[in-house]
Amino acid sequence: MSTGTYVLALDGGQSSTGVWLLSTDLAHRLYRCVRGFQYATEVGYSPARETQGQAIISAIEALMTQAACAPESVRAVGTSFMSATPGLTGYLEAAFPHVPICRLSDAEAAYLSTLWRTPGVCLTGGTGSVAVAKNGHQSITVGGWGYLFGDLGGGWSITQRAIQAALAAVDQWGPPTRLAGGLLGFFEESSYRALVSSVYSGKRLRAEIAQ
């Protein structure tokens, strides 16, 4: 069993969750990615969200086993979830009762990991987008509203606007664009009806669109 100390970090993105187990001397850095939607608007409070919570727990336990890390060797737990994942909070509190669980946004986590407390701006772009600026005790956050209400410049927003431009050209109310043919080839679909249907039916996940 490992005799070192560790930090457990969970980054709940819009379309996947990153799970890290890091030794405090950084000699061991283990990672697992769990695909799945964070927001209840995607799947509702359904068995799918229960399954996602269990998948995250399984990833944590797999990393703990891989590192031969006992729960008492974990000295800090941090999460950046914007919404509750069923079963996860209860599991963390039961598995690591000796440490506080630090909850902060992914934007705040990105700022601290890159600039720490140095005045500056941190821009994060993935499926969505968000910017954080800090100067001493002054702080401002722009964006990070999620794909339904914002996140301009994020992967989903860019692809969504490209598809909208292609659909406007196909329907002949928008200007012609090479995107009309290029996107079908990229997504390997025969028509835009088929492409749009694959999104609404859940066959093609938002993470795939945002890539």
Side-chain angles (χ1 to χ4, degrees), residues 120-155:
V121 179
C122 179
L123 174 63
T124 304
T127 301
S129 63
V130 61
V132 174
K134 287 181 176 291
N135 184 11
H137 294 294
Q138 295 180 313
S139 175
I140 184 171
T141 300
V142 177
W145 300 115
Y147 79 106
L148 287 176
F149 302 110
D151 283 354
L152 298 180

Short mmCIF file of all heavy atoms in Angstrom, two decimals, residues 120-155:
data_model
loop_
_atom_site.label_atom_id
_atom_site.label_comp_id
_atom_site.label_asym_id
_atom_site.label_seq_id
_atom_site.Cartn_x
_atom_site.Cartn_y
_atom_site.Cartn_z
N GLY A 120 -4.71 38.66 -13.10
CA GLY A 120 -4.69 38.26 -14.50
C GLY A 120 -6.04 37.73 -14.94
O GLY A 120 -7.05 37.83 -14.22
N VAL A 121 -6.06 37.19 -16.15
CA VAL A 121 -7.29 36.67 -16.76
C VAL A 121 -7.04 35.23 -17.20
O VAL A 121 -6.00 34.92 -17.79
CB VAL A 121 -7.70 37.50 -17.99
CG1 VAL A 121 -8.96 36.93 -18.63
CG2 VAL A 121 -7.93 38.96 -17.59
N CYS A 122 -8.00 34.36 -16.92
CA CYS A 122 -7.92 32.96 -17.34
C CYS A 122 -9.13 32.65 -18.20
O CYS A 122 -10.28 32.79 -17.75
CB CYS A 122 -7.87 32.04 -16.14
SG CYS A 122 -7.80 30.28 -16.58
N LEU A 123 -8.90 32.25 -19.45
CA LEU A 123 -9.96 31.88 -20.37
C LEU A 123 -9.97 30.38 -20.56
O LEU A 123 -8.94 29.79 -20.92
CB LEU A 123 -9.76 32.57 -21.73
CG LEU A 123 -10.74 32.17 -22.85
CD1 LEU A 123 -12.17 32.56 -22.48
CD2 LEU A 123 -10.32 32.81 -24.16
N THR A 124 -11.11 29.75 -20.30
CA THR A 124 -11.25 28.31 -20.44
C THR A 124 -12.21 28.00 -21.58
O THR A 124 -13.33 28.52 -21.62
CB THR A 124 -11.79 27.67 -19.14
OG1 THR A 124 -10.91 28.01 -18.06
CG2 THR A 124 -11.86 26.16 -19.26
N GLY A 125 -11.77 27.16 -22.52
CA GLY A 125 -12.62 26.79 -23.64
C GLY A 125 -12.64 25.28 -23.81
O GLY A 125 -11.60 24.65 -23.96
N GLY A 126 -13.81 24.68 -23.74
CA GLY A 126 -14.01 23.25 -23.98
C GLY A 126 -15.30 23.10 -24.75
O GLY A 126 -15.50 23.72 -25.78
N THR A 127 -16.20 22.28 -24.23
CA THR A 127 -17.55 22.25 -24.81
C THR A 127 -18.19 23.63 -24.68
O THR A 127 -18.89 24.09 -25.57
CB THR A 127 -18.41 21.20 -24.08
OG1 THR A 127 -17.78 19.92 -24.21
CG2 THR A 127 -19.80 21.14 -24.69
N GLY A 128 -17.91 24.30 -23.56
CA GLY A 128 -18.40 25.66 -23.34
C GLY A 128 -17.24 26.64 -23.27
O GLY A 128 -16.14 26.36 -23.75
N SER A 129 -17.48 27.81 -22.68
CA SER A 129 -16.43 28.81 -22.53
C SER A 129 -16.73 29.70 -21.34
O SER A 129 -17.90 29.99 -21.04
CB SER A 129 -16.31 29.66 -23.80
OG SER A 129 -17.50 30.39 -24.02
N VAL A 130 -15.67 30.14 -20.65
CA VAL A 130 -15.83 31.01 -19.50
C VAL A 130 -14.50 31.72 -19.26
O VAL A 130 -13.43 31.17 -19.53
CB VAL A 130 -16.27 30.23 -18.24
CG1 VAL A 130 -15.22 29.18 -17.87
CG2 VAL A 130 -16.55 31.15 -17.07
N ALA A 131 -14.57 32.96 -18.77
CA ALA A 131 -13.37 33.73 -18.46
C ALA A 131 -13.47 34.27 -17.04
O ALA A 131 -14.55 34.70 -16.60
CB ALA A 131 -13.18 34.88 -19.44
N VAL A 132 -12.35 34.22 -16.32
CA VAL A 132 -12.28 34.75 -14.96
C VAL A 132 -11.14 35.75 -14.88
O VAL A 132 -10.03 35.45 -15.36
CB VAL A 132 -12.07 33.63 -13.93
CG1 VAL A 132 -11.84 34.22 -12.54
CG2 VAL A 132 -13.26 32.69 -13.90
N ALA A 133 -11.39 36.92 -14.31
CA ALA A 133 -10.34 37.91 -14.10
C ALA A 133 -10.30 38.26 -12.61
O ALA A 133 -11.35 38.41 -11.97
CB ALA A 133 -10.62 39.16 -14.91
N LYS A 134 -9.09 38.35 -12.08
CA LYS A 134 -8.93 38.68 -10.66
C LYS A 134 -7.81 39.69 -10.48
O LYS A 134 -6.81 39.69 -11.20
CB LYS A 134 -8.60 37.42 -9.85
CG LYS A 134 -9.76 36.46 -9.65
CD LYS A 134 -9.35 35.26 -8.82
CE LYS A 134 -10.52 34.36 -8.53
NZ LYS A 134 -11.49 34.99 -7.59
N ASN A 135 -8.02 40.55 -9.47
CA ASN A 135 -7.00 41.51 -9.06
C ASN A 135 -7.21 41.75 -7.57
O ASN A 135 -8.06 42.53 -7.17
CB ASN A 135 -7.11 42.81 -9.84
CG ASN A 135 -5.99 43.79 -9.49
OD1 ASN A 135 -5.02 43.42 -8.82
ND2 ASN A 135 -6.12 45.02 -9.93
N GLY A 136 -6.42 41.02 -6.77
CA GLY A 136 -6.63 41.11 -5.34
C GLY A 136 -7.98 40.52 -4.96
O GLY A 136 -8.31 39.41 -5.33
N HIS A 137 -8.78 41.33 -4.24
CA HIS A 137 -10.10 40.86 -3.83
C HIS A 137 -11.17 41.14 -4.88
O HIS A 137 -12.32 40.74 -4.71
CB HIS A 137 -10.50 41.52 -2.51
CG HIS A 137 -9.64 41.12 -1.34
ND1 HIS A 137 -9.62 39.83 -0.84
CD2 HIS A 137 -8.74 41.82 -0.61
CE1 HIS A 137 -8.77 39.77 0.17
NE2 HIS A 137 -8.22 40.96 0.33
N GLN A 138 -10.79 41.79 -5.96
CA GLN A 138 -11.74 42.06 -7.03
C GLN A 138 -11.76 40.89 -8.01
O GLN A 138 -10.72 40.36 -8.38
CB GLN A 138 -11.36 43.34 -7.78
CG GLN A 138 -11.45 44.60 -6.93
CD GLN A 138 -11.06 45.84 -7.72
OE1 GLN A 138 -10.04 45.84 -8.40
NE2 GLN A 138 -11.87 46.87 -7.62
N SER A 139 -12.95 40.50 -8.42
CA SER A 139 -13.09 39.34 -9.31
C SER A 139 -14.30 39.51 -10.20
O SER A 139 -15.33 40.08 -9.78
CB SER A 139 -13.23 38.06 -8.48
OG SER A 139 -13.46 36.95 -9.31
N ILE A 140 -14.20 39.05 -11.44
CA ILE A 140 -15.32 39.07 -12.35
C ILE A 140 -15.29 37.82 -13.22
O ILE A 140 -14.21 37.35 -13.61
CB ILE A 140 -15.31 40.33 -13.26
CG1 ILE A 140 -16.57 40.37 -14.14
CG2 ILE A 140 -14.05 40.37 -14.13
CD1 ILE A 140 -16.74 41.67 -14.89
N THR A 141 -16.45 37.24 -13.45
CA THR A 141 -16.59 36.06 -14.30
C THR A 141 -17.51 36.40 -15.46
O THR A 141 -18.59 36.96 -15.26
CB THR A 141 -17.16 34.87 -13.51
OG1 THR A 141 -16.28 34.56 -12.43
CG2 THR A 141 -17.30 33.65 -14.41
N VAL A 142 -17.08 36.06 -16.66
CA VAL A 142 -17.87 36.31 -17.87
C VAL A 142 -18.08 34.98 -18.59
O VAL A 142 -17.13 34.23 -18.82
CB VAL A 142 -17.17 37.31 -18.82
CG1 VAL A 142 -17.97 37.49 -20.10
CG2 VAL A 142 -16.98 38.64 -18.11
N GLY A 143 -19.33 34.71 -18.96
CA GLY A 143 -19.64 33.47 -19.65
C GLY A 143 -19.85 32.34 -18.67
O GLY A 143 -20.14 32.54 -17.49
N GLY A 144 -19.73 31.10 -19.17
CA GLY A 144 -19.97 29.94 -18.32
C GLY A 144 -21.44 29.68 -18.05
O GLY A 144 -21.80 29.05 -17.06
N TRP A 145 -22.32 30.14 -18.96
CA TRP A 145 -23.76 30.01 -18.75
C TRP A 145 -24.32 28.67 -19.25
O TRP A 145 -25.51 28.42 -19.14
CB TRP A 145 -24.50 31.15 -19.44
CG TRP A 145 -24.13 32.51 -18.94
CD1 TRP A 145 -23.51 33.51 -19.64
CD2 TRP A 145 -24.34 33.04 -17.63
NE1 TRP A 145 -23.31 34.61 -18.85
CE2 TRP A 145 -23.82 34.35 -17.60
CE3 TRP A 145 -24.91 32.52 -16.46
CZ2 TRP A 145 -23.86 35.15 -16.46
CZ3 TRP A 145 -24.94 33.32 -15.33
CH2 TRP A 145 -24.43 34.62 -15.34
N GLY A 146 -23.45 27.84 -19.83
CA GLY A 146 -23.95 26.58 -20.37
C GLY A 146 -24.40 26.74 -21.82
O GLY A 146 -24.66 27.85 -22.30
N TYR A 147 -24.52 25.63 -22.51
CA TYR A 147 -24.79 25.68 -23.95
C TYR A 147 -26.17 26.21 -24.30
O TYR A 147 -26.39 26.72 -25.40
CB TYR A 147 -24.60 24.29 -24.57
CG TYR A 147 -25.76 23.35 -24.35
CD1 TYR A 147 -26.63 23.04 -25.39
CD2 TYR A 147 -26.00 22.77 -23.10
CE1 TYR A 147 -27.69 22.19 -25.20
CE2 TYR A 147 -27.04 21.92 -22.91
CZ TYR A 147 -27.90 21.62 -23.96
OH TYR A 147 -28.94 20.77 -23.75
N LEU A 148 -27.13 26.15 -23.36
CA LEU A 148 -28.48 26.63 -23.68
C LEU A 148 -28.56 28.15 -23.73
O LEU A 148 -29.36 28.70 -24.49
CB LEU A 148 -29.48 26.11 -22.64
CG LEU A 148 -29.84 24.62 -22.71
CD1 LEU A 148 -30.76 24.26 -21.55
CD2 LEU A 148 -30.51 24.30 -24.04
N PHE A 149 -27.72 28.83 -22.94
CA PHE A 149 -27.87 30.27 -22.80
C PHE A 149 -26.62 31.07 -23.16
O PHE A 149 -26.66 32.30 -23.12
CB PHE A 149 -28.27 30.61 -21.35
CG PHE A 149 -29.54 29.95 -20.92
CD1 PHE A 149 -29.52 28.94 -19.98
CD2 PHE A 149 -30.75 30.32 -21.48
CE1 PHE A 149 -30.69 28.31 -19.59
CE2 PHE A 149 -31.94 29.70 -21.09
CZ PHE A 149 -31.91 28.69 -20.15
N GLY A 150 -25.53 30.41 -23.51
CA GLY A 150 -24.33 31.19 -23.80
C GLY A 150 -23.21 30.32 -24.29
O GLY A 150 -23.38 29.50 -25.17
N ASP A 151 -22.03 30.48 -23.66
CA ASP A 151 -20.83 29.72 -24.01
C ASP A 151 -20.36 29.97 -25.44
O ASP A 151 -19.90 29.05 -26.13
CB ASP A 151 -21.06 28.23 -23.79
CG ASP A 151 -20.99 27.85 -22.32
OD1 ASP A 151 -20.65 28.73 -21.51
OD2 ASP A 151 -21.26 26.69 -21.99
N LEU A 152 -20.49 31.22 -25.90
CA LEU A 152 -20.01 31.55 -27.24
C LEU A 152 -18.51 31.28 -27.35
O LEU A 152 -17.75 31.61 -26.45
CB LEU A 152 -20.30 33.02 -27.56
CG LEU A 152 -21.78 33.42 -27.59
CD1 LEU A 152 -21.92 34.90 -27.92
CD2 LEU A 152 -22.56 32.57 -28.58
N GLY A 153 -18.10 30.69 -28.43
CA GLY A 153 -16.70 30.36 -28.63
C GLY A 153 -16.31 29.00 -28.13
O GLY A 153 -15.19 28.53 -28.39
N GLY A 154 -17.21 28.32 -27.43
CA GLY A 154 -16.96 26.95 -27.00
C GLY A 154 -17.17 25.99 -28.17
O GLY A 154 -17.71 26.36 -29.22
N GLY A 155 -16.75 24.74 -27.99
CA GLY A 155 -16.82 23.77 -29.08
C GLY A 155 -18.23 23.55 -29.59
O GLY A 155 -18.47 23.47 -30.81
#
